[in-house]
Amino acid sequence: RNNMLEYVTPYKICVVVLIQELCLLKRKGGWQNRQINRALFKPDPNPVYRRDFCMLALKLIQSPDMDYQDFLKLLESDKYTLVPELLGNFKTQLQDLLKRDVGRIMDILINVSNIPVDSRTFDPFINKSSKIGIFLRRVRLFFDKLSFPETIGIYKAFRNYILSVKNDVVDTATAKTPQREEDSDVKLPNRLSMDMDLSSISEGMIQRSTLSPRFMSDQSCDSTEGEKRDVPVGLWSRRQAELFIAQQARLITDNPQQALPPQQLQTKLRDVIATNPEHAEAHFLSYLNCLRVREYCGAINSLFHYFDRKAPSSYEDEAVRCKGLRYAALNLAILHAQFNHKKEALCALKEAIALAHEANDNVCLQHAQAWMYKLQSEFKDVLIQRSILKSGELNLHYLSSFGLQSYANHAAINGGIPEQIFEVLSRSDILNCQHSMSDLMASGLSLRSAFWSLYGRTELACLYAQQLLHLDTSDPTIGTHLYTGGDALILAISNLANYFTLQGEYQIAWTLVNHGKERVSDSKWWVWSENILYFIESYHKGQWQHAQLAINQLATVDKMESLIRQSELLLMKGDGKGALESATKVLNSTNDPVLRIRALHLCAKANPRAAIMNLCDALHIANIHSIEYWEGLIALEIANIQLEMGLASQAVKVIDRSLLGMLSHGCYSDMSDALVLYAKSKVATASAASVQTKFDITSEAIKILGKAAELARKIENYSKVKTIVYLQAILCDSIGLLAERNKYAYEFRVLDEEFNTMDSPINTGQ
């Protein structure tokens, strides 16, 4: 086992040289020529240099070793304003180190603790207890532990580190100078170049590298013996690894888009484990990284390696051993749940619950119960209520708030009263605000948006979706603008994109979806949003082949939705039998109330003989779940049947009760259909009226149809526009408005020539 906490690497030598050059500049007075001021606060004419160098030094000390080329790019970037002479002096010093032997590097590292002193104030330029001072002392400490062969290895590694890139530090003559024979054997990889394999990172995978001083010494003494020894790379100290793992774990949990790409992160994790083989947290980060790309084998192997290294020793007490076992079972259950392996997840979860009961661990038990009601469908409301009460007693506020949101979601799906559902969400919002749980705040807003969309209040749904997008979820404690991205963000953007799609604003909807893919790129639901948008746009424009392509792609992520859309398309094509078959498959496969209502509505249109029965079933489900929007749509379909049966007066009464809600919350397509149906019903009621009454009613109907045509134009549904204009021409002809009739007839002719469709009134014989 390697006892070295960290190594002296070429990267650390470069950082030491940079700090020493700054101290030399300060001692020469190159950037602080000023009179000594004995005031309490001494004026500093160049505060930007001091501040930026301190921030740069902190980043260099805490960051893992980087390539020399990246190191120079960071120094030359505009992010930090450094002393003008510093970079040039730094490159000159590195060039001098390359021309000289190992003794020069030894002098620099040995004298690293001799911090220069200001000749006027006799104060050291660097405080020994500061971050930079501690770093310099640690470099000196670990350098003193090296043997002479290891020091030679450091020098060779430093030469290869600088010569690995062509830059201004090394001139052409130096770059072309042949290396000594012993130097040519040393090939230094700046980074481990391994292909990404999201499987377990085991100790057998640890690659050797010449950056390790210990390996350098073994290579110079006995190459055969050195090859047998598992020596880490030496690029990562334990503190650097802990900081890197904590930052990446936070980013993966809250906003994976800002974390490193999966392949790059996995390569860095291999380096970390090569340096620190017993670092269990690196394996857990590898497990999280595998979950990002849905890699099951790699995730479960990394999880096993994590708990293998977290396994308690034989001399530890029984309580500690049992704690590790029950949390291992709980994490295994979570892993299976992530991949939708419900049976395996429930088995592991029951084991975790049994172990938690034995140890009387209520915290572990409540976490297990939270996953239990997510995986089970029986007695779900009882499990959630118990979890909320017990979590409140144990001050587990996150689980309490999560339980309240889960209960609201369960109640909405099973026909709960809307007032009570929103009251439960309000209790969750109070906990979120009291304990600053920003992710659950976003989740609560997304649930409100989803519930209002379920109840048919599209404007309120969009309002809460926009409020979520404007919610500041940044975390000032980590110094960056970290915005939460996840299911809540996806749902909010999808709701907005769907709203603009139904209003005919296709370009805005595409922009929203593309923005969402930039925020959360690795989600399958963008495929869902894109294909829903593509289908609706193609459906409205009469591009049936494109609509069918969207349905086929949608089936890969949501089978039920694709069947519903397939039924709509077949119904538009006039294939009632095929539409009925697709809708029936949905009825036989799901208990989702909205999907069942939509399927019954399509069955009523495809099969007129059983229309009333299907519509009554759909209306019953809509009444139970308080889905008022679909109640209005079903009422309009019943009114259409009444109109076809010659019951125009009853149809007008039914339409009058539903028209206001449809115009207030409906999409443009449904609003247009409702106005057309209302105009037809009004004209049908005037068939037995006087001539003047019939003229007035028909004139009003023509105006209503004009509004319907305007709505259809907004969604670019020109097939519907042609049907409405054709109907307007017929109504004008029936009451003797010949000029208006000719105007609408000419408009229809222009539309029919420009947008030739198979469902034109001329082709269908209307």
Side-chain angles (χ1 to χ4, degrees):
R1 182 176 178 178
N2 183 26
N3 295 322
M4 293 286 287
L5 295 178
E6 60 183 80
Y7 296 95
V8 179
T9 62
Y11 169 78
K12 291 186 174 69
I13 295 176
C14 290
V15 176
V16 170
V17 171
L18 182 68
I19 295 172
Q20 287 187 343
E21 289 302 317
L22 179 76
C23 293
L24 291 176
L25 280 175
K26 293 183 69 175
R27 186 169 62 180
K28 293 177 182 178
W31 59 291
Q32 54 180 8
N33 292 323
R34 64 178 185 268
Q35 298 295 328
I36 300 177
N37 194 334
R38 299 299 181 181
L40 182 61
F41 299 101
K42 299 180 180 180
D44 191 348
N46 299 288
V48 178
Y49 294 156
R50 180 188 298 273
R51 181 195 64 196
D52 283 10
F53 183 82
C54 289
M55 298 302 297
L56 173 63
L58 187 62
K59 178 178 178 59
L60 294 175
I61 292 171
Q62 292 182 340
S63 299
D65 291 14
M66 63 180 71
D67 294 339
Y68 182 61
Q69 186 175 7
D70 297 335
F71 187 83
L72 285 181
K73 285 182 179 179
L74 182 62
L75 296 181
E76 295 171 352
S77 64
D78 297 332
K79 186 176 181 180
Y80 302 101
T81 303
L82 303 178
V83 183
E85 301 87 350
L86 178 60
L87 187 57
N89 293 353
F90 170 70
K91 292 180 179 180
T92 304
Q93 180 65 21
L94 290 184
Q95 184 178 0
D96 181 65
L97 290 176
L98 289 177
K99 293 179 179 179
R100 304 179 67 174
D101 55 13
V102 66
R104 178 57 180 161
I105 291 183
M106 293 178 61
D107 292 339
I108 290 177
L109 295 179
I110 291 174
N111 296 325
V112 73
S113 58
N114 298 329
I115 301 174
V117 178
D118 192 337
S119 59
R120 290 166 295 183
T121 61
F122 300 101
D123 294 329
F125 291 121
I126 298 175
N127 192 328
K128 293 185 177 181
S129 61
S130 65
K131 298 291 183 182
I132 299 178
I134 294 175
F135 168 74
L136 295 176
R137 288 195 301 170
R138 289 178 64 85
V139 171
R140 168 66 187 274
L141 174 65
F142 288 106
F143 180 76
D144 289 341
K145 293 182 179 181
L146 298 179
S147 62
F148 184 74
E150 291 172 340
T151 306
I152 295 295
I154 282 289
Y155 175 70
K156 293 179 180 180
F158 177 76
R159 286 183 58 86
N160 286 295
Y161 179 76
I162 302 300
L163 293 173
S164 60
V165 293
K166 293 182 180 181
N167 46 62
D168 295 335
V169 178
V170 185
D171 55 11
T172 306
T174 306
K176 293 183 179 180
T177 301
Q179 297 183 8
R180 295 190 303 270
E181 182 177 356
E182 61 269 24
D183 292 344
S184 62
D185 295 336
V186 182
K187 297 180 180 179
L188 174 68
N190 293 321
R191 290 185 184 274
L192 292 180
S193 56
M194 288 181 277
D195 294 334
M196 180 180 181
D197 179 12
L198 291 177
S199 58
S200 164
I201 306 177
S202 61
E203 289 181 313
M205 290 178 170
I206 296 175
Q207 303 294 324
R208 299 173 180 86
S209 170
T210 57
L211 278 181
S212 171
R214 190 175 300 279
F215 180 75
M216 291 297 300
S217 63
D218 292 337
Q219 187 184 30
S220 61
C221 298
D222 188 355
S223 58
T224 304
E225 182 183 357
E227 290 176 356
K228 295 180 181 179
R229 297 177 62 178
D230 291 330
V231 183
V233 180
L235 292 177
W236 296 76
S237 68
R238 190 167 187 85
R239 288 180 175 83
Q240 290 174 336
E242 289 173 353
L243 177 64
F244 174 77
I245 291 172
Q247 290 176 342
Q248 292 300 314
R250 178 67 180 276
L251 290 172
I252 290 178
T253 304
D254 292 340
N255 195 341
Q257 187 65 21
Q258 295 186 7
L260 288 177
Q263 183 175 356
Q264 184 179 353
L265 177 58
Q266 200 72 11
T267 302
K268 287 185 176 293
L269 286 175
R270 290 170 182 261
D271 293 348
V272 171
I273 295 177
T275 309
N276 304 277
E278 301 301 324
H279 205 300
E281 287 73 13
H283 290 281
F284 196 83
L285 182 58
S286 175
Y287 156 70
L288 296 178
N289 193 34
C290 292
L291 288 182
R292 294 168 66 189
V293 293
R294 310 294 295 172
E295 174 60 37
Y296 173 75
C297 295
I300 197 167
N301 287 335
S302 295
L303 189 63
F304 286 161
H305 278 290
Y306 169 73
F307 281 106
D308 285 345
R309 285 155 180 76
K310 279 291 186 179
S313 304
S314 57
Y315 56 82
E316 292 181 329
D317 57 5
E318 189 68 21
V320 176
R321 296 177 63 83
C322 292
K323 183 177 181 180
L325 292 175
R326 58 179 175 268
Y327 278 100
L330 178 59
N331 279 276
L332 184 60
I334 296 172
L335 171 62
H336 286 300
Q338 293 287 340
F339 289 93
N340 203 26
H341 303 161
K342 291 188 177 181
K343 185 177 179 180
E344 293 82 355
L346 287 173
C347 290
L349 204 57
K350 290 177 181 178
E351 181 180 357
I353 292 174
L355 293 172
H357 274 300
E358 291 179 3
N360 197 23
D361 187 350
N362 290 319
V363 176
C364 180
L365 195 60
Q366 292 312 307
H367 281 87
Q369 191 170 4
W371 280 99
M372 180 66 75
Y373 64 68
K374 280 182 65 68
L375 296 172
Q376 279 191 340
S377 56
E378 299 179 353
F379 309 108
K380 194 169 185 177
D381 53 345
V382 178
L383 290 173
I384 296 176
Q385 290 176 6
R386 291 177 179 175
S387 176
I388 294 172
L389 292 175
K390 192 64 177 178
S391 298
E393 294 176 2
L394 298 173
N395 292 326
L396 301 176
H397 306 295
Y398 190 94
L399 290 180
S400 297
S401 179
F402 178 76
L404 290 169
Q405 293 183 4
S406 300
Y407 186 79
N409 186 43
H410 175 73
I413 295 175
N414 291 275
I417 301 173
E419 293 85 349
Q420 296 179 357
I421 292 173
F422 285 107
E423 182 182 354
V424 171
L425 279 182
S426 298
R427 292 170 56 191
S428 173
D429 291 340
I430 292 173
L431 285 175
N432 297 336
C433 293
Q434 287 177 342
H435 302 284
S436 300
M437 295 180 288
S438 59
D439 53 342
L440 287 180
M441 290 182 191
S443 178
L445 289 173
S446 68
L447 281 175
R448 288 178 183 274
S449 177
F451 292 159
W452 283 123
S453 180
L454 172 67
Y455 298 137
R457 300 294 189 264
T458 55
E459 298 292 341
L460 285 172
C462 290
L463 178 64
Y464 280 104
Q466 293 181 44
Q467 186 176 352
L468 188 152
L469 294 178
H470 285 85
L471 181 66
D472 185 8
T473 57
S474 60
D475 189 354
T477 61
I478 61 176
T480 59
H481 296 287
L482 175 62
Y483 291 92
T484 302
D487 294 340
L489 179 67
I490 294 170
L491 181 58
I493 295 179
S494 298
N495 274 344
L496 285 174
N498 189 54
Y499 171 78
F500 284 110
T501 302
L502 294 175
Q503 308 305 320
E505 300 290 349
Y506 304 120
Q507 190 60 39
I508 296 177
W510 281 114
T511 303
L512 280 170
V513 173
N514 292 332
H515 170 72
K517 291 171 68 175
E518 293 176 358
R519 295 277 295 270
V520 186
S521 59
D522 54 348
S523 174
K524 68 175 184 178
W525 292 112
W526 298 129
V527 179
W528 186 93
S529 297
E530 284 181 335
N531 286 287
I532 289 293
L533 170 54
Y534 190 38
F535 171 81
I536 294 176
E537 184 178 1
S538 303
Y539 180 83
H540 286 165
K541 294 180 178 180
Q543 300 170 350
W544 294 346
Q545 292 181 347
H546 295 169
Q548 184 62 52
L549 178 61
I551 291 172
N552 296 337
Q553 294 177 350
L554 182 62
T556 61
V557 293
D558 194 344
K559 184 66 175 178
M560 295 298 104
E561 185 67 27
S562 68
L563 289 173
I564 290 290
R565 300 296 179 176
Q566 183 72 60
S567 180
E568 292 178 1
L569 182 60
L570 292 175
L571 197 61
M572 175 63 70
K573 292 180 178 180
D575 185 3
K577 183 178 178 180
L580 183 61
E581 290 178 356
S582 297
T584 304
K585 289 180 182 179
V586 177
L587 290 174
N588 296 333
S589 304
T590 184
N591 293 321
D592 185 88
V594 177
L595 288 177
R596 292 188 65 84
I597 291 172
R598 293 168 65 188
L600 289 169
H601 187 252
L602 291 170
C603 286
K605 289 184 175 181
N607 185 17
R609 294 182 179 180
I612 295 298
M613 182 179 65
N614 288 327
L615 290 174
C616 289
D617 291 342
L619 187 61
H620 175 68
I621 298 174
N623 285 328
I624 291 177
H625 293 85
S626 303
I627 308 177
E628 295 182 0
Y629 183 72
W630 274 103
E631 290 180 16
L633 282 179
I634 295 167
L636 292 176
E637 189 63 30
I638 293 174
N640 187 38
I641 295 174
Q642 290 175 334
L643 180 62
E644 293 176 354
M645 296 173 61
L647 304 175
S649 299
Q650 287 83 350
V652 171
K653 293 179 182 178
V654 174
I655 295 172
D656 283 336
R657 289 197 298 267
S658 305
L659 188 61
L660 179 61
M662 188 58 57
L663 295 177
S664 300
H665 307 289
C667 62
Y668 286 170
S669 179
D670 292 338
M671 292 165 63
S672 179
D673 292 339
L675 290 174
V676 171
L677 180 61
Y678 184 62
K680 288 182 178 179
S681 301
K682 295 285 286 185
V683 172
T685 57
S687 58
S690 62
V691 177
Q692 184 61 38
T693 304
K694 183 178 180 180
F695 181 87
D696 294 338
I697 293 176
T698 305
S699 299
E700 182 184 357
I702 293 172
K703 294 179 181 179
I704 294 174
L705 290 174
K707 178 63 176 176
E710 181 184 348
L711 293 172
R713 280 192 178 90
K714 288 183 178 180
I715 60 175
E716 302 181 30
N717 192 341
Y718 295 105
S719 174
K720 186 178 294 186
V721 174
K722 287 193 298 182
T723 303
I724 296 171
V725 173
Y726 182 81
L727 182 57
Q728 285 178 307
I730 293 176
L731 292 178
C732 289
D733 183 71
S734 65
I735 58 176
L737 298 176
L738 300 183
E740 286 79 1
R741 179 202 65 182
N742 294 337
K743 183 188 75 172
Y744 290 123
Y746 176 74
E747 184 179 354
F748 172 80
R749 178 182 175 182
V750 172
L751 288 171
D752 195 49
E753 290 177 354
E754 186 176 356
F755 306 100
N756 189 12
T757 56
M758 296 299 296
D759 57 346
S760 174
I762 297 178
N763 298 332
T764 57
Q766 291 183 0

